[in-house]
Amino acid sequence: MSTPPPVKSPADVPLALAEPVTRVGPRWIGLISLANLALWMGYFGPLQVLLPQQMEAVAPAGKETALAWVTGIGAAVAMVSNPLAGALSDRTAGRYGRRHPWTLLGALAGGLGLVLLAVQGTVAGVVIGWCLAQAGLNAMQAALTAGVPDHVPVRQRGAVSGWIGIPQTLGVVLAVVLVTTVVTTTGAGFLMIGALVPLCALPFVLATPDPPLPAGHRPPFSAGGFLRGFWISPRAHPDFAWAWLTRFLMQLGNAVTLLYLLYFLTDAVHYEREFPGAKAEDGLLVLILIYTVAVILTTVAAGAISDRLGRRRTLVTLSGAISAVPAVMLALWPQWTVVMVAAAVMGVGFGVYLSVDNALITQVLPAAAGRAKDLGVINIANSGPQVLAPVIAGPIVASLGGYPVLYLTAGALTLLGAGLVWKIRSVP
């Protein structure tokens, strides 16, 4: 087994539930980052390129509406599967640990869903395949996300969250490169990503420790009690509630910004007219590369700074203010040069947010015994905006002001979320 070293805990607390105190090493960080790279390739390859391409082929006259249905229903599945898989992993008592079985099963199911998408030719078939992919990928995400509070001490969580956050943006780049340059068809893109997801997750599962939960520490099961566990009272845990709302609004602003980005390049920026012979997907790849470089340059440094200063809320607010700027730029100046600058600014803002907010959230979880379930509830704030974003964005683009109103709305949502982080009292 590899790093991290055994966690020190009182004799009456099993290792699986103990608060970690020993810093994790580079090997553990590298392997969980690789697994996260697989996860985000599975999400963003389809969302950024493959699903829009597929909808344009399947329903060219109503591609925006069709894409909204597919992504919205898939996100609704994610809202259920993430906390459910997390709750089940919290209760898993077996020799292979609580998290690793769900990481592997989720990766296999997610890969299968992506492979199924490769052969779909109807909107209904795409919905079914994407829902299976979302269910599997979210089960995988629930287990991986819980790995940070399971293994990483509080004073290292900002930096580790930064390193783990890099694959989130790098996964977008790799996925887009793979599905636009390495393969030439939408179906081949789905097949490639579907194979890579479990292959990249396997080393983390096989080569890192996952302390098992003793059967005696698993709470007794009742259907009512299990379902009630998903409700976390804002009165009893107000900081958790405010952290959830902050994440929801920030991610909603991000989702509204990104949902129609490929179509924005085609219909507002007129990328293919500006660059004859090029495709809008080429422009999207350029933006993603710029964004990724900016994220990589900021996320680990911001996490380390927040660890050193201990002031997570200030940096979350700063990230929100920075992230609102590119929304205004896209709304007022839909020119290619401006869009590239906006991508860089957005990368800086999200890079700061990615590491610091993840670390902040691990500090407001209600209980160690329910870490994955509680983080699954937090992840509803990631997937819920994917459901709501089409409801907001579709009518705006169609008849309520178009892309300028869309991006100003996104900026306002981001600023509101960044301001609400100051309602949290237990974290500086």
Side-chain angles (χ1 to χ4, degrees):
M1 306 297 274
S2 64
T3 54
V7 177
K8 300 175 183 178
S9 62
D12 58 340
V13 178
L15 199 59
L17 301 179
E19 183 67 24
V21 295
T22 304
R23 294 172 67 87
V24 296
R27 189 162 184 262
W28 187 89
I29 295 172
L31 291 177
I32 196 173
S33 296
L34 179 63
N36 273 280
L37 181 66
L39 174 71
W40 296 109
M41 284 195 297
Y43 281 139
F44 285 121
L47 284 172
Q48 289 294 320
V49 177
L50 296 176
L51 289 174
Q53 286 179 340
Q54 199 167 33
M55 289 302 95
E56 195 161 21
V58 170
K63 61 185 181 182
E64 294 91 349
T65 301
L67 180 62
W69 275 106
V70 171
T71 57
I73 295 173
V77 170
M79 290 174 62
V80 175
S81 60
N82 200 303
L84 178 61
L88 292 172
S89 78
D90 286 332
R91 298 179 54 84
T92 298
R95 58 181 295 191
Y96 299 109
R98 293 192 296 170
R99 314 300 185 200
H100 283 347
W102 291 94
T103 298
L104 183 58
L105 288 173
L108 291 171
L112 179 61
L114 294 170
V115 170
L116 182 63
L117 280 165
V119 295
Q120 299 308 308
T122 66
V123 174
V126 174
V127 168
I128 293 170
W130 185 235
C131 285
L132 175 58
Q134 281 279 32
L137 293 171
N138 274 273
M140 178 182 173
Q141 183 180 5
L144 288 174
T145 305
V148 174
D150 280 351
H151 293 281
V152 182
V154 168
R155 290 190 61 82
Q156 195 188 7
R157 286 181 190 172
V160 170
S161 294
W163 285 112
I164 293 175
I166 288 176
Q168 181 169 341
T169 52
L170 191 59
V172 182
V173 175
L174 288 180
V176 172
V177 168
L178 289 173
V179 302
T180 58
T181 63
V182 177
V183 297
T184 58
T185 66
T186 302
F190 278 123
L191 291 174
M192 177 178 289
I193 299 297
L196 287 173
V197 168
L199 287 175
C200 291
L202 197 59
F204 179 68
V205 171
L206 295 179
T208 65
D210 184 17
L213 178 70
H217 287 265
R218 183 169 58 184
F221 178 80
S222 70
F226 184 76
L227 292 175
R228 284 193 298 272
F230 290 97
W231 171 250
I232 300 174
S233 168
R235 185 184 297 271
H237 303 285
D239 284 355
F240 183 88
W242 286 117
W244 188 96
L245 186 57
T246 294
R247 171 71 65 90
F248 181 85
L249 290 170
M250 295 281 284
Q251 293 289 8
L252 181 58
N254 191 58
V256 168
T257 300
L258 296 178
L259 179 63
Y260 292 139
L261 186 56
L262 183 61
Y263 301 153
F264 174 73
L265 291 178
T266 301
D267 301 332
V269 177
H270 304 294
Y271 183 86
E272 294 175 0
R273 189 174 67 193
E274 291 288 326
F275 302 97
K279 299 184 296 183
E281 288 86 354
D282 300 331
L284 181 64
L285 179 56
V286 171
L287 296 181
I288 290 171
L289 287 169
I290 294 171
Y291 171 85
T292 300
V293 170
V295 170
I296 291 173
L297 290 175
T298 55
T299 186
V300 176
I305 290 170
S306 75
D307 285 339
R308 182 178 295 274
L309 300 179
R311 302 188 67 83
R312 314 277 195 204
R313 295 181 301 172
T314 300
L315 289 171
V316 169
T317 301
L318 176 63
S319 73
I322 295 172
S323 298
V325 172
V328 176
M329 296 171 68
L330 295 177
L332 301 182
W333 302 288
Q335 291 95 34
W336 174 241
T337 302
V338 175
V339 173
M340 287 193 292
V341 175
V345 176
M346 185 180 294
V348 171
F350 194 72
V352 175
Y353 173 76
L354 193 63
S355 58
V356 177
D357 190 63
N358 282 339
L360 183 151
I361 282 172
T362 64
Q363 293 179 240
V364 298
L365 299 178
R371 285 170 181 151
K373 181 264 295 178
D374 296 337
L375 286 168
V377 173
I378 286 289
N379 278 325
I380 293 175
N382 295 329
S383 52
Q386 305 301 322
V387 177
L388 191 55
V391 177
I392 295 172
I396 291 175
V397 172
S399 57
L400 297 177
Y403 289 111
V405 174
L406 179 74
Y407 289 121
L408 290 175
T409 301
L413 290 168
T414 300
L415 285 174
L416 178 60
L420 289 179
V421 74
W422 290 94
K423 292 287 188 178
I424 298 172
R425 300 301 183 191
S426 62
V427 179

